[in-house]
């Protein structure tokens, strides 16, 4: 198909350029020149284009999104090594602690866009979910970095019974704490929703995981944490 061939070449070129920019970020990341700014903006454009390539407007109503994933493009991107390129981009998270606030925020914006791309690269595609699952520790380690790592984790596990059974149960309390403390940020709820949701007709039971989540949510100390978080939000601050 000529259109598929054209898309393949376009995606291949975008990924090669993105890889190159990510590897050379230390040269342009300070955004000191017009060329640096052009690199920064180009990275964002490529990530947005990759995200748009992975999805299309859904013809049917869905509760959580007006888009549906394009499996053929997800597979094409996997074959082109898109996940490895994305992980190269995400490795820039290590530069944040040594950066000024402005540069850290710029880097974080790129990382958030990369995680949005990954959610669509992964969503509903079992091969891509399993590929991303191999790097689960990276997303766990960066949950507090405000780069949407939890949203990627949600898509790794969503509707994949085998991976759900492998979810590290000690993290349930972590996600409940994040949910209680960051109630206006849905990404942490997405993880718990993905772990408890089951496709119609599924015979795989995740009742034990559902019970653990409910037990954590119902613990008396959670109510106090939630009240403190609400007070901070009403006062325009952030929760501790």
């Amino acid at each position: 198909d000529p259109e598929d061939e054209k898309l393949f070449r376009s995606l291949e070129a975008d990924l090669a350029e993105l890889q190159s920019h990510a590897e050379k970020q230390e040269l342009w990341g300070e955004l000191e020149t017009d060329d640096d700014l052009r690199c920064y903006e180009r990275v964002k454009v490529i990530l947005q284009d990759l995200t748009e390539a992975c999805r299309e407007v859904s013809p049917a109503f869905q509760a959580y999104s007006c888009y549906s994933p394009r499996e053929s493009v997800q597979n094409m991107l996997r074959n082109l090594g898109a996940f490895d390129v994305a992980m190269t981009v995400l490795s820039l998270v290590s530069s944040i602690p040594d950066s000024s606030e402005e540069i850290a925020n710029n880097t974080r914006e790129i990382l958030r866009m990369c995680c949005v791309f990954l959610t669509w690269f992964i969503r509903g595609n079992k091969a891509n979910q399993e590929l991303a699952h191999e790097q689960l520790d990276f997303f766990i380690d960066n949950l507090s970095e405000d780069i949407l790592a939890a949203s990627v984790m949600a898509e790794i596990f969503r509707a994949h019974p085998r991976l759900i059974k492998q979810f590290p149960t000690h993290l349930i309390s972590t996600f409940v704490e994040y949910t209680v403390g960051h109630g206006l940020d849905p990404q942490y709820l997405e993880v718990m929703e993905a772990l408890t949701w089951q496709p119609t007709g599924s015979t795989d039971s995740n009742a034990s995981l559902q019970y653990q989540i409910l037990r954590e949510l119902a613990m008396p100390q959670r109510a106090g944490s939630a009240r403190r978080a609400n007070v901070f939000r009403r006062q325009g601050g952030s929760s501790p």
Side-chain angles (χ1 to χ4, degrees), residues 29-195:
E30 297 294 321
L31 305 184
E32 295 175 337
T33 69
D34 288 344
D35 283 343
D36 294 345
L37 287 169
R38 278 191 286 271
C39 286
Y40 172 67
E41 292 299 330
R42 180 60 184 153
V43 166
K44 292 197 296 181
V45 167
I46 293 173
L47 289 169
Q48 183 61 40
D49 287 347
L50 292 174
T51 299
E52 294 303 325
C54 280
R55 66 188 188 183
E56 59 190 352
V57 176
S58 176
F61 172 77
Q62 298 182 106
Y64 56 86
S65 175
C66 61
Y67 294 100
S68 294
R70 297 174 65 190
E71 184 178 4
S72 61
V73 177
Q74 291 174 321
N75 293 339
M76 190 181 294
L77 285 165
R78 182 180 68 250
N79 293 332
L80 285 168
F83 184 72
D84 288 339
V85 175
M87 293 307 298
T88 299
V89 174
L90 291 177
S91 70
L92 301 179
V93 71
S94 63
S95 71
I96 289 178
D98 297 325
S99 301
S100 67
E101 183 177 359
E102 180 182 3
I103 299 303
N105 287 338
N106 290 338
T107 302
R108 191 170 280 110
E109 181 179 10
I110 288 174
L111 301 183
R112 288 171 68 90
M113 292 184 71
C114 189
C115 281
V116 170
F117 159 60
L118 281 180
T119 63
W120 285 103
F121 170 77
I122 295 167
R123 180 170 292 188
N125 188 303
K126 283 188 164 45
N128 290 358
Q129 287 174 292
E130 291 162 10
L131 179 62
H133 187 264
E134 295 174 6
Q135 295 293 332
L136 183 63
D137 285 347
F138 172 87
F139 299 103
I140 292 172
D141 291 343
N142 289 284
L143 283 172
S144 62
E145 289 294 338
D146 191 27
I147 62 171
L148 299 179
S151 293
V152 178
M153 287 185 64
E155 297 307 327
I156 289 174
F157 292 99
R158 190 185 303 282
H160 197 308
R162 182 174 63 79
L163 294 186
I164 288 175
K165 291 182 187 304
Q166 297 177 35
F167 183 81
T169 54
H170 69 275
L171 288 177
I172 291 176
S173 61
T174 300
F175 277 103
V176 171
E177 284 289 349
Y178 273 117
T179 301
V180 169
H182 303 76
L184 295 178
D185 192 336
Q187 62 172 312
Y188 306 111
L189 282 171
E190 286 178 10
V191 175
M192 291 191 288
E193 185 268 338
L195 292 173

